[in-house]
Amino acid sequence: MIHTISELLKEVSEFKSEFFDEQIYYRGQKNGTKAGWMLLPTFYREKKQYASVPFYSDKKEELNTIYKFIEKNYDYFKNIEFDDLISIINILQHYGFPTRVLDVTQNPLVALYFALEEVELKDGNEPVIYLVYAKKTSAGYLINSDLKRFYNDEPNEKKRLDSMVLVNGCVLSERIRN
C-alpha cells in the first residue's frame, strides 16, 4: 500500500527499472478489484448489465447510436471530420458515453489524480493505480480504416481488433491531453 506521492514515484521508478525497454502507461481508478472494477472499458462493463440492449450486441447499432449522439450534440464535434472515428470515440469517452476505450496516461501523477478524484475517507472506495506496459515496438496506432472495417463488417463477436491497441486520441482539452 502506498501512502505518499514519493512512495508512488519510488514504486514507479522500480517498476520502470525492470521494464526499461518498454513504455509504461498508468490508469487510476477510484475503486479497485474489491468492488469488481476491472481494467475494462465502460462498453464492456455495461454490456454485462444491459446484454439485451441492441447497442451492446450489434456493431452497426452501436455505430448508428454514435452518429445519433453526434447529431444531437454537434457543438462537441464541429471541429472533427465526420469519418474520424478515433477522435469521435475519444470525445464520446470524455462525455460519459459507453465506449470501447480505456483511458491511460504516461504520467503517474495524472493516474493518481483520477484514482483519488471524488474519493472520501471511509467511503468504501479502494483507489488503485494500474501500471500497464507495452514494448515500444508493439505500441501501434489504430487507423480509421481499421475502425470502419470493424464496425461495418458482418457482426461477429469473435472477429475483433487486437486485444489492446494504443491510440493517440484528439486533444481538444487539457483533461483529454492528460
Side-chain angles (χ1 to χ4, degrees):
M1 186 168 292
I2 296 173
H3 295 28
T4 66
I5 292 174
S6 58
E7 288 177 14
L8 169 67
L9 295 177
K10 182 179 179 229
E11 288 290 325
V12 165
S13 179
E14 289 174 10
F15 187 83
K16 279 184 167 182
S17 71
E18 292 180 38
F19 298 96
F20 59 89
D21 65 336
E22 305 189 22
Q23 181 62 55
I24 309 298
Y25 297 90
Y26 308 91
R27 164 110 178 140
Q29 292 184 175
K30 69 180 175 180
N31 212 328
T33 57
K34 179 180 175 186
W37 285 35
M38 297 171 44
L39 283 179
L40 282 177
T42 308
F43 178 91
Y44 297 105
R45 288 192 307 261
E46 291 189 5
K47 183 176 183 175
K48 291 177 183 177
Q49 186 175 357
Y50 304 108
S52 63
V53 175
F55 174 84
Y56 294 104
S57 59
D58 182 339
K59 291 187 292 184
K60 289 189 187 301
E61 183 64 27
E62 178 186 351
L63 189 59
N64 286 337
T65 304
I66 288 170
Y67 283 116
K68 286 177 191 173
F69 185 91
I70 293 169
E71 288 173 4
K72 294 184 185 307
N73 301 281
Y74 178 73
D75 286 347
Y76 298 134
F77 302 93
K78 62 185 172 191
N79 296 322
I80 304 295
E81 295 293 323
F82 196 66
D83 63 349
D84 185 358
L85 285 170
I86 293 171
S87 296
I88 289 169
I89 291 170
N90 190 28
I91 292 168
L92 290 171
Q93 170 76 12
H94 288 275
Y95 286 100
F97 194 92
T99 70
R100 297 171 186 264
V101 172
L102 185 68
D103 290 329
V104 294
T105 180
Q106 291 180 308
N107 186 333
L109 298 178
V110 170
L112 177 64
Y113 169 81
F114 286 107
L116 298 178
E117 183 182 37
E118 300 176 14
V119 170
E120 307 268 336
L121 284 177
K122 299 182 182 176
D123 66 359
N125 284 308
E126 191 177 86
V128 63
I129 296 175
Y130 292 99
L131 281 70
V132 179
Y133 62 92
K135 289 188 185 284
K136 289 181 181 177
T137 57
S138 67
Y141 292 90
L142 182 62
I143 56 175
N144 278 302
S145 62
D146 290 334
L147 267 175
K148 288 177 197 169
R149 203 167 30 254
F150 172 76
Y151 280 112
N152 292 315
D153 284 351
E154 288 301 312
N156 181 347
E157 282 301 315
K158 291 181 182 176
K159 185 176 190 177
R160 60 181 205 179
L161 299 169
D162 293 335
S163 57
M164 181 189 298
V165 178
L166 301 173
V167 178
N168 283 341
C170 64
V171 180
L172 297 176
S173 71
E174 192 63 30
R175 182 179 172 100
I176 291 175
R177 179 185 330 277
N178 288 332

